[in-house]
Amino acid sequence: MKKMSMLLAVLTLVPAPALAADYKCQGNRVEKGGSTQYTVRTSGSDIVIEKGGSTRGKAVKRGDDYAVEVGGSTQATIENGRIYKGGSTWSSVGEAQRVYDCPDIVAATLWVLQQRGQL
């Protein structure tokens, strides 16, 4: 029993392996497995996500926050490290960055577009 307790104590001290993001930003490209999946374009402070030359969605700067839009319709807002849908917290920017290893607003925009089936 003492050996089991020692083993459990040691295992709790071993750090869990970090999970790598599925997607990674390289310049203005979002890659998966080294292959470009999306292109990120910027216009002023706005960010546009494209695939095959077609706009999938964009993050539009509004004051201190961003609105994620698809076809001109707001799908979510990004403010203070949180992603909001209809005024309620939907997720965090950190959670989005676990999937998309990209700058905060880019990762959050990609995450929202994925949740809305726009990617």
Side-chain angles (χ1 to χ4, degrees), residues 31-119:
E31 298 181 346
K32 182 175 183 179
S35 177
T36 299
Q37 302 296 310
Y38 310 103
T39 303
V40 178
R41 306 252 186 247
T42 56
S43 176
S45 55
D46 296 348
I47 298 166
V48 177
I49 307 297
E50 297 179 349
K51 182 167 183 151
S54 175
T55 297
R56 299 300 179 156
K58 59 184 172 179
V60 178
K61 182 97 167 138
R62 293 190 182 153
D64 292 334
D65 308 323
Y66 281 86
V68 178
E69 296 181 351
V70 174
S73 176
T74 300
Q75 304 295 309
T77 56
I78 305 165
E79 51 188 87
N80 299 323
R82 295 253 177 242
I83 303 169
Y84 294 92
K85 176 182 169 186
S88 299
T89 301
W90 195 4
S91 189
S92 69
V93 171
E95 185 64 32
Q97 288 181 304
R98 284 184 197 51
V99 179
Y100 299 98
D101 183 7
C102 296
D104 56 355
I105 302 303
V106 174
T109 302
L110 287 162
W111 187 91
V112 169
L113 295 174
Q114 178 185 28
Q115 299 304 309
R116 302 299 295 165
Q118 299 299 317
L119 292 179

